[in-house]
Amino acid sequence: MSTTTPAAPATPATPATPTSALNAARTTATAARVLRQLRHDPRTIALLILVPCLMLILLRYVFDASPRTFDNIGASLLGIFPLITMFLVTSIATLRERTSGTLERLLAMPLGKADLIAGYALAFGGLAIVQSALATGLAVWLLGLDVTGSAWLLLLVALLDALLGTALGLFVSAFAASEFQAVQFMPAVIFPQLLLCGLFTPRADMHPVLEAISDALPMSYAVDGMNEVLHHTDMTATFVRDVSIVAGCAVLVLALGAATLRRRTA
């Protein structure tokens, strides 16, 4: 009587475990993939690049009879418009990756959450540089925005604001179940900052409770930084504080975005 040795059960394939350390090669590969996708989406490119410029042109001629008013609020909006557009596009793009299953497939590879978030930040950050440069050049050299300080400092604040919008978009996309919900986060995240940032009235003139809330919102420091460039020839200590806070908030929110990133929408 022959005996047959039962075959050993097949060992199931172990999915690749994403590494936690940030890797430059994986980050740049992710950024390149995002940029290739955006290249085939001209409407998104138009929203990112052209809409802030068109809004500045519209604003300039709304105040055609009062150019001083454009000087007072144009610099502030030069930072606010990129933040809003980057927030909107980034939150929807990231959510689309998750709902389509692309994010789950990527995270099944040796790709860490930090690599993914940094890749998105790098890709949209590159677009933010183009967006901010075009908007700043348009406002200063074509629309006649009168600033006392350097236009390069305006560009720096506009770029940091765009990066902050990217970070906020990446973060809130983790809590949305659909693109419609992602858009709904704009009134919750952006509009309160817009009302309390000092654009419509000085923050010192607000109710003390609202002033205290505005002190905790990054857009307030973006507007303050723009106003410092508007009224001072040199880089002031207040300007350095403002841009440091905006940059620090962007880094913090990116870290939170990596920590809360989920593979798929529940």
Side-chain angles (χ1 to χ4, degrees):
M1 180 177 179
S2 62
T3 59
T4 304
T5 303
T11 303
T14 303
T17 302
T19 57
S20 58
L22 190 64
N23 180 276
R26 293 192 296 263
T27 298
T28 53
T30 301
R33 181 185 61 82
V34 173
L35 290 175
R36 284 196 299 269
Q37 290 179 333
L38 289 174
R39 185 180 61 184
H40 300 293
D41 190 354
R43 288 176 295 182
T44 298
I45 296 295
L47 177 63
L48 285 172
I49 304 299
L50 298 180
V51 168
C53 295
L54 293 176
M55 292 296 100
L56 286 171
I57 294 172
L58 177 62
L59 184 70
R60 167 63 181 84
Y61 291 104
V62 164
F63 296 109
D64 190 45
S66 180
R68 192 60 191 167
T69 304
F70 175 70
D71 291 337
N72 289 333
I73 68 173
S76 299
L77 292 176
L78 187 59
I80 292 174
F81 286 157
L83 190 155
I84 293 175
T85 55
M86 295 303 293
F87 171 84
L88 183 61
V89 171
T90 307
S91 60
I92 292 177
T94 309
L95 179 66
R96 190 177 298 167
E97 293 271 78
R98 197 169 71 245
T99 55
S100 66
T102 301
L103 185 60
E104 185 174 8
R105 292 192 296 270
L106 289 173
L107 291 180
M109 302 165 58
L111 180 71
K113 292 182 179 181
D115 296 319
L116 192 68
I117 291 294
Y120 269 94
L122 183 61
F124 284 105
L127 291 173
I129 292 174
V130 177
Q131 179 196 71
S132 301
L134 286 176
T136 302
L138 175 70
V140 175
W141 290 299
L142 292 181
L143 300 181
L145 180 66
D146 186 16
V147 293
T148 303
S150 170
W152 292 106
L153 296 181
L154 279 183
L155 175 60
L156 174 62
V157 182
L159 176 58
L160 290 175
D161 290 344
L163 293 176
L164 176 61
T166 299
L168 288 170
L170 289 169
F171 176 62
V172 303
S173 67
F175 304 98
S178 66
E179 294 181 14
F180 179 67
Q181 285 188 6
V183 174
Q184 286 179 314
F185 274 109
M186 180 173 284
V189 176
I190 299 297
F191 287 178
Q193 296 193 67
L194 187 62
L195 293 175
L196 299 176
C197 68
L199 177 64
F200 301 105
T201 186
R203 293 193 290 129
D205 296 340
M206 298 178 184
H207 188 280
V209 173
L210 295 181
E211 183 182 0
I213 295 174
S214 72
D215 289 340
L217 300 176
M219 191 184 290
S220 301
Y221 298 95
V223 171
D224 288 350
M226 287 294 190
N227 288 332
E228 286 294 305
V229 180
L230 190 66
H231 297 110
H232 298 87
T233 56
D234 299 321
M235 185 185 301
T236 64
T238 302
F239 175 83
V240 173
R241 180 208 65 181
D242 293 335
V243 296
S244 298
I245 291 175
V246 174
C249 288
V251 173
L252 175 62
V253 175
L254 281 175
L256 292 174
T260 58
L261 185 65
R262 293 178 293 145
R263 292 189 176 192
R264 65 170 65 189
T265 301

